[in-house]
Amino acid sequence: MKRFILFICLIFFVTVPIYLHCEKKVTRFELPIGELKWTDKRPEKAKMCIPAAFTDEQGQILGAYRIDGKAYDANKTMVMKVSLKGDMFYISKHWMSDNGFQQLTLVNNSKAMKFHDSRKAIRRALCKDKNGTFILQSNYPMTMSDFAEECGKRSTNATYLDMGEYGYGYIKSRFFTRHLYIWGFFSKDKQTNWLYIE
């Protein structure tokens, strides 16, 4: 009887945290204090580092981007651009800063976008509200429209960030490093562009 009770307790303590994690559709990650920057080379020492623009299998950045004021227009089919300024970002059809990248807009002025993509995957977004900028990441695979809807409940503006097998990222605090999407850890060197805070 004692073994049975011990077994039930063990199952409870294993399944309840998993259930609570999955019941919560997205997790919010606060950014460290500092200026948001973007680069095509992975910074060695950063407090936060996550993939930004889409990357193809050959390691090429997809979409237009700017680095230190120089524009690279690899793909003009996506029109919304993410411009980085200080610790905030702006979504616009025109560049508003010297550094930025093209990406899918998930939420624009508190309105969630709709997508025809029915594939389910772990998703991540750079979001902002009246209090500042933060990251949202889905706790389980969901469609792009469902993820945009969740972002719309929590932010006024949100832009998608590259995920898939290149989706590894981290945020360092004073005492430890929080790894985002640990499954992408071993392919992190294949990623070619990064959003970071030094």
Side-chain angles (χ1 to χ4, degrees):
M1 186 66 174
K2 287 182 181 178
R3 286 185 181 177
F4 179 73
I5 294 172
L6 185 62
F7 178 73
I8 294 298
C9 290
L10 182 63
I11 290 201
F12 176 81
F13 286 114
V14 168
T15 56
V16 167
I18 293 171
Y19 171 77
L20 291 175
H21 178 74
C22 291
E23 181 67 16
K24 194 169 94 173
K25 295 181 179 179
V26 295
T27 297
R28 177 177 171 140
F29 299 97
E30 300 299 333
L31 301 185
I33 295 172
E35 183 179 356
L36 275 172
K37 296 183 180 180
W38 184 80
T39 181
D40 57 348
K41 296 177 179 62
R42 182 158 62 98
E44 292 299 319
K45 296 178 181 179
K47 293 186 284 188
M48 182 209 76
C49 190
I50 51 176
F54 290 123
T55 301
D56 66 17
E57 292 180 359
Q58 287 72 44
Q60 299 297 311
I61 298 170
L62 300 177
Y65 59 97
R66 280 169 69 99
I67 298 177
D68 296 329
K70 185 175 180 181
Y72 301 85
D73 289 317
N75 179 353
K76 296 183 179 180
T77 61
M78 297 164 56
V79 295
M80 301 309 279
K81 299 172 173 69
V82 182
S83 293
L84 304 174
K85 278 187 154 188
D87 60 351
M88 294 295 285
F89 69 96
Y90 300 87
I91 301 171
S92 171
K93 289 186 178 182
H94 306 287
W95 293 113
M96 298 177 67
S97 71
D98 287 340
N99 294 282
F101 51 91
Q102 255 179 358
Q103 190 48 280
L104 299 174
T105 300
L106 299 177
V107 180
N108 189 19
N109 294 325
S110 301
K111 182 182 178 185
M113 303 290 111
K114 294 288 184 187
F115 297 90
H116 297 293
D117 186 1
S118 60
R119 291 177 303 120
K120 292 188 176 183
I122 299 295
R123 312 281 183 180
R124 183 184 296 149
L126 178 66
C127 306
K128 70 178 178 179
D129 60 17
K130 62 182 181 180
N131 297 316
T133 304
F134 55 94
I135 300 291
L136 284 179
Q137 184 171 296
S138 65
N139 289 334
Y140 54 85
M142 57 176 54
T143 67
M144 190 73 85
S145 290
D146 289 344
F147 183 58
E149 186 178 330
E150 290 302 318
C151 290
K153 294 175 184 176
R154 297 162 175 82
S155 65
T156 55
N157 289 278
T159 186
Y160 192 66
L161 295 174
D162 195 14
M163 282 295 291
E165 64 177 294
Y166 301 155
Y168 172 74
Y170 66 84
I171 297 174
K172 290 183 178 178
S173 69
R174 189 173 173 187
F175 300 108
F176 67 94
T177 299
R178 187 166 190 180
H179 299 278
L180 310 181
Y181 196 62
I182 193 69
W183 308 114
F185 180 81
F186 296 105
S187 59
K188 67 178 187 244
D189 292 328
K190 294 182 181 179
Q191 181 57 260
T192 60
N193 66 101
W194 303 88
L195 184 66
Y196 71 102
I197 295 174
E198 288 181 314

